[in-house]
């Protein structure tokens, strides 16, 4: 869509990130009839690379950098949403507890297996000594609902987030 091409061009030109928030209700594509509600917390996305193999198609590779809280939002005439936001503090770098080490190892094993298959699921550096980093990487790949991922992302305590992920993985038999 033109609005996203314009946004991407401006972000690339000005070397600025853009915000990503999940829809709580409504539709991303404007239809004029449905009220749109966003989640209150989102993530800034930094464009790592952009490629345009075909006219009108732009493939982006992005990295989430910082959580933010939406303070106010408005929609432009072209349908693009703009927001005023405040930063959410980064997680404290806390080591996973001994009880969570199996979940850390399972992530390291999964990454190694994907790399052996020629895939690079997550950019380095890997921070297996950081509970928040480990929890967030699991949240990216777990087959859980967007609502559950949102709730996990909003948790201010990275050890609680990792404990909930650990509970889920143990319940599914991924970690024993």
């Amino acid at each position: 869509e033109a609005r996203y091409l314009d946004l991407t061009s401006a972000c690339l030109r000005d070397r600025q990130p853009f915000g990503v928030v999940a829809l709580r209700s409504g539709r991303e594509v404007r239809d004029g009839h449905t009220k749109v509600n966003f989640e209150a917390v989102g993530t800034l996305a930094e464009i790592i690379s952009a490629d345009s193999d075909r006219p009108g198609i732009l493939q982006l590779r992005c990295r989430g950098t910082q959580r933010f809280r939406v303070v106010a939002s408005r929609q432009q005439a072209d349908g693009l949403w703009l927001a005023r936001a405040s930063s959410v503090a980064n997680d404290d770098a806390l080591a996973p507890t001994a009880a969570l080490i199996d979940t850390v190892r399972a992530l390291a094993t999964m990454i190694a297996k994907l790399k052996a298959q020629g895939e690079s699921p997550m950019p380095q550096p890997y921070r297996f000594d950081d509970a928040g980093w480990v929890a967030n990487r699991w949240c990216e790949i777990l087959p859980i609902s967007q609502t559950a991922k949102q709730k996990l992302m909003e948790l201010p305590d990275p050890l609680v987030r990792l404990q909930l992920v650990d509970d889920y993985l143990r319940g599914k038999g991924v970690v024993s």
Side-chain angles (χ1 to χ4, degrees):
E1 294 184 42
R3 61 186 165 159
Y4 294 128
L5 293 173
D6 292 344
L7 171 67
T8 302
S9 295
C11 289
L12 288 168
R13 180 186 62 244
D14 300 336
R15 297 176 193 236
Q16 293 292 317
F18 60 93
V20 178
V21 291
L23 284 173
R24 192 176 309 145
S25 64
R27 295 179 30 170
E28 188 274 333
V29 177
R30 199 166 65 161
D31 65 7
H33 305 290
T34 307
K35 181 169 174 50
V36 175
N37 289 305
F38 297 102
E39 294 292 348
V41 177
T43 304
L44 285 179
E46 164 185 79
I47 299 173
I48 298 170
S49 64
D51 189 14
S52 181
D53 291 338
R54 299 180 301 192
I57 302 293
L58 185 61
Q59 293 184 354
L60 300 178
R61 185 164 185 220
C62 300
R63 171 179 40 231
T65 60
Q66 171 74 44
R67 290 177 294 171
F68 63 84
R69 183 169 301 283
V70 175
V71 176
S73 63
R74 66 179 175 85
Q75 192 172 27
Q76 294 184 149
D78 66 359
L80 184 68
W81 284 90
L82 300 177
R84 199 165 34 95
S86 62
S87 294
V88 172
N90 288 331
D91 290 334
D92 291 333
L94 301 174
T97 62
L100 300 171
I101 293 302
D102 289 339
T103 293
V104 175
R105 286 188 187 124
L107 180 64
T109 300
M110 191 262 328
I111 291 171
K113 285 180 180 177
L114 289 171
K115 286 178 79 172
Q117 297 171 5
E119 296 183 40
S120 180
M122 296 157 196
Q124 293 185 10
Y126 302 136
R127 297 183 358 233
F128 298 114
D129 60 344
D130 182 338
W133 185 88
V134 172
N136 293 345
R137 298 305 70 79
W138 272 117
C139 290
E140 290 173 8
I141 60 175
L142 286 175
I144 59 177
S145 71
Q146 184 63 41
T147 301
K149 289 182 182 198
Q150 181 72 32
K151 296 299 179 201
L152 287 166
M153 179 181 73
E154 291 179 9
L155 288 173
D157 186 329
L159 285 171
V160 170
R161 193 178 317 126
L162 185 55
Q163 181 63 59
L164 290 169
V165 169
D166 181 81
D167 292 346
Y168 176 85
L169 293 173
R170 287 181 190 281
K172 295 297 182 184
V174 174
V175 173
S176 52

